[in-house]
Amino acid sequence: MSRVFSWVMLGVSIVAMGAAMTLGTSAAVPYFGPTWPFLTFGGSPSSTTVTTLTWTAAVAAGAGVLAGLYALRRGAWVSPRRLLIAGAVAACVYALLPPTGSVDMMNYAIYGRIADLGRDPYVTTPLRLAHTGDPVGLLLPSGWQRVPTVYGPVMTFIQWLAAHFGGNSMARIIFLLKWANAAAFIGTGVILHRMTGPDPVRRLRACLLWTANPLILFWMVGSGHADAFAVFFLVAALYAARRSAFAGGLLGGAAVAVKASFLFPAAGLVIAAWLSPARFRRASAAVAGLLLVGGGGYLLAGPAALHSLGARLGRKKDRYLPVPEYILTHHGLYVVWMGALAVALTAFLWWRSGLPFALWRRPSEATRRLPLDVLPVAVLAFGTTLVSPLQYPWYDAMLLPILALLPYRRLDRTLIARGVMLALCTLPGVRVNGYQHFYVRWANLVWLAVFIVVVWWGTRRAAAGPPADSPGLTSPSSVSPPSSSPAPA
């Protein structure tokens, strides 16, 4: 029964969200000028209609994924390859539909247009482009008009490439970007399929968390967020690091050069290399690759790139965790506050994961079964993302693929519930209820408390040392090979 329910809910979610995308300009679909080559009816549906469709899609997505994960208790209930192909087909369909759920893709198009015109997108604002009368700049959305790009040089290059071939049409630039997003989304799914090995249960779980997850499909392709590229490079780095720490560092640096927030999980690649045999050589190679692409990219972009990023983090509008007003009014105190939260959560996850036994003791039979090539990346990704002042549903795109490579299945339901919660607080996206911002703050705080309890309860025996047959939450039969293994999973 749970298998049939999962299929029905996944289908309902994909269709409902697709309907909201094709109806026309609305509270979910921004106006971006002439719509060709996108497929759309060109109507003007009411806010109630698109809100109902998008909220139905969000709830159905969560129900479908949870039901599919529950059905895995009895084994694989469908071919992972078929589910992977189905997700890839849905991604291609979403690439043909207008951008939905936010105005971010319009900002991407404008930044790409600025770069294509020979100007610096880290200095030139969209409003300045609009003042020149440029047809792409005149379609600038509100909110980011005076903000230069905050994305890394690799993402800026992708935006420039789309703008170069898209010309002076906002729709054509976005269309090319959406197809690039679809390629990155599918590529991530294929790599996860390879990394999870021959076990059909593990492969099917990875598909449910990523490729066949309608919410992730929507945010990465339908809404077209830049996280799709950063996640692709990060997952590719995890795969490449099993053969070459330097290659892993290069791809990790590319993820950082898409979005600076990926610096923390990318640093986990260095820790993973340190935990492997020949630690000095592998860790040095990982650092070299990370600095070459990540550091070199930002060095070429210049100090304006870092200044723009700092200005973005200083905006009070995007505080999605309750912070005392006194701390918000003192920037230095705010930085210390958020840094302390990130360090505290990261240290907690590090302790409960069993990594201290691998780091400070000689490898034992228990620590060898820890997924040492993924676990440091996961700890830093979760520890910094979940207490970040910026909380959007598409940020979970960093967490779900990493979780799919770990055997901590108790966290699956918790993270899926978070995705639904954030989606309901964000959708329809372009125009939202003013009260939603208030609700999402306290909803995030409650969810974070639940997450800590789940981690504590699930790893309650880890404090005494990982037993020989069960390191932390891991199961010996489901742990991925450590980074010292030269062979792919």
Side-chain angles (χ1 to χ4, degrees):
M1 181 61 70
S2 57
R3 304 175 184 180
V4 176
F5 181 77
S6 177
W7 274 118
V8 171
M9 289 295 100
L10 293 177
V12 167
S13 178
I14 292 175
V15 172
M17 196 65 78
M21 297 167 69
T22 56
L23 290 178
T25 304
S26 64
V29 180
Y31 173 75
F32 53 92
T35 59
W36 188 89
F38 288 108
L39 303 179
T40 176
F41 291 110
S44 299
S46 66
S47 178
T48 302
T49 299
V50 294
T51 300
T52 301
L53 286 171
T54 53
W55 282 21
T56 299
V59 174
V65 173
L66 290 176
L69 292 172
Y70 179 80
L72 283 179
R73 295 184 175 187
R74 298 183 178 180
W77 47 273
V78 68
S79 167
R81 186 184 299 272
R82 292 181 181 179
L83 200 59
L84 178 68
I85 294 174
V89 171
C92 293
V93 173
Y94 273 19
L96 296 170
L97 307 181
T100 310
S102 76
V103 297
D104 283 12
M105 291 213 78
M106 298 176 66
N107 295 315
Y108 301 163
I110 290 174
Y111 293 139
R113 178 68 171 171
I114 291 173
D116 190 49
L117 292 175
R119 303 187 180 187
D120 186 355
Y122 295 104
V123 176
T124 305
T125 64
L127 187 60
R128 186 176 299 178
L129 178 65
H131 286 164
T132 65
D134 184 82
V136 176
L138 290 175
L139 294 171
L140 80 168
S142 61
W144 287 68
Q145 296 181 359
R146 292 177 171 84
V147 181
T149 184
V150 296
Y151 298 98
V154 168
M155 188 62 202
T156 299
F157 173 77
I158 295 172
Q159 293 166 354
W160 166 81
L161 202 62
H164 183 72
F165 289 100
N168 61 359
S169 167
M170 171 77 80
R172 288 200 301 269
I173 297 174
I174 295 176
F175 187 77
L176 294 174
L177 283 173
K178 288 199 72 174
W179 276 103
N181 275 66
F185 175 82
I186 296 170
T188 301
V190 171
I191 296 174
L192 289 175
H193 189 76
R194 293 289 302 273
M195 292 187 71
T196 46
D199 184 0
V201 172
R202 294 187 66 206
R203 283 186 164 179
L204 190 55
R205 174 174 171 252
C207 280
L208 287 169
L209 291 178
W210 181 260
T211 319
N213 185 340
L215 278 179
I216 289 297
L217 170 65
F218 169 70
W219 294 121
M220 295 299 97
V221 183
S223 197
H225 290 281
D227 301 70
F229 301 104
V231 171
F232 169 76
F233 286 123
L234 181 63
V235 174
L238 287 168
Y239 182 70
R242 292 180 171 178
R243 289 184 172 87
S244 167
F246 180 68
L250 291 175
L251 290 167
V256 177
V258 172
K259 287 191 71 174
S261 58
F262 279 72
L263 173 63
F264 302 103
L269 295 167
V270 179
I271 300 176
W274 178 264
L275 294 174
S276 66
R279 57 177 58 186
F280 290 103
R281 178 180 59 83
R282 289 181 58 83
S284 300
V287 170
L290 191 62
L291 291 178
L292 183 62
V293 177
Y298 278 97
L299 186 65
L300 291 175
L306 298 178
H307 180 270
S308 176
L309 181 62
R312 165 63 172 155
L313 294 177
R315 296 180 67 192
K316 295 182 180 180
K317 179 181 178 181
D318 292 325
R319 305 304 173 208
Y320 278 85
L321 284 175
V323 180
E325 186 64 27
Y326 178 78
I327 295 179
L328 281 177
T329 56
H330 295 78
H331 183 70
L333 187 58
Y334 174 77
V335 172
V336 173
W337 171 272
M338 299 309 301
L341 288 179
V343 170
L345 182 59
T346 301
F348 169 74
L349 295 175
W350 186 275
W351 169 44
R352 303 306 288 182
S353 68
L355 276 175
F357 298 94
L359 187 62
W360 303 115
R361 300 181 181 180
R362 295 183 63 84
S364 63
E365 184 64 25
T367 58
R368 287 194 187 99
R369 288 199 291 264
L370 286 171
L372 298 182
D373 58 337
V374 182
L375 202 49
V377 179
V379 167
L380 288 173
F382 278 84
T384 55
T385 302
L386 298 183
V387 294
S388 168
L390 307 178
Q391 294 287 325
Y392 290 103
W394 48 89
Y395 287 8
D396 285 1
M398 178 200 294
L399 308 178
L400 286 168
I402 299 175
L403 183 60
L405 297 175
L406 295 173
Y408 299 163
R409 297 188 182 183
R410 288 186 179 94
L411 296 180
D412 292 357
R413 291 168 290 181
T414 309
L415 207 58
I416 294 301
R418 166 186 158 93
V420 176
M421 174 196 72
L422 290 177
L424 294 177
C425 291
T426 305
L427 294 169
V430 176
R431 293 193 296 272
V432 298
N433 189 330
Y435 292 104
Q436 288 180 257
H437 195 85
F438 170 80
Y439 291 140
V440 74
R441 290 188 178 189
W442 292 103
N444 266 296
L445 190 62
V446 172
W447 181 90
L448 185 59
V450 172
F451 173 79
I452 291 174
V453 170
V454 170
V455 173
W456 180 280
W457 180 260
T459 58
R460 61 191 182 278
R461 298 180 181 177
D469 60 341
S470 180
L473 276 179
T474 60
S475 165
S477 62
S478 61
V479 174
S480 57
S483 57
S484 59
S485 173

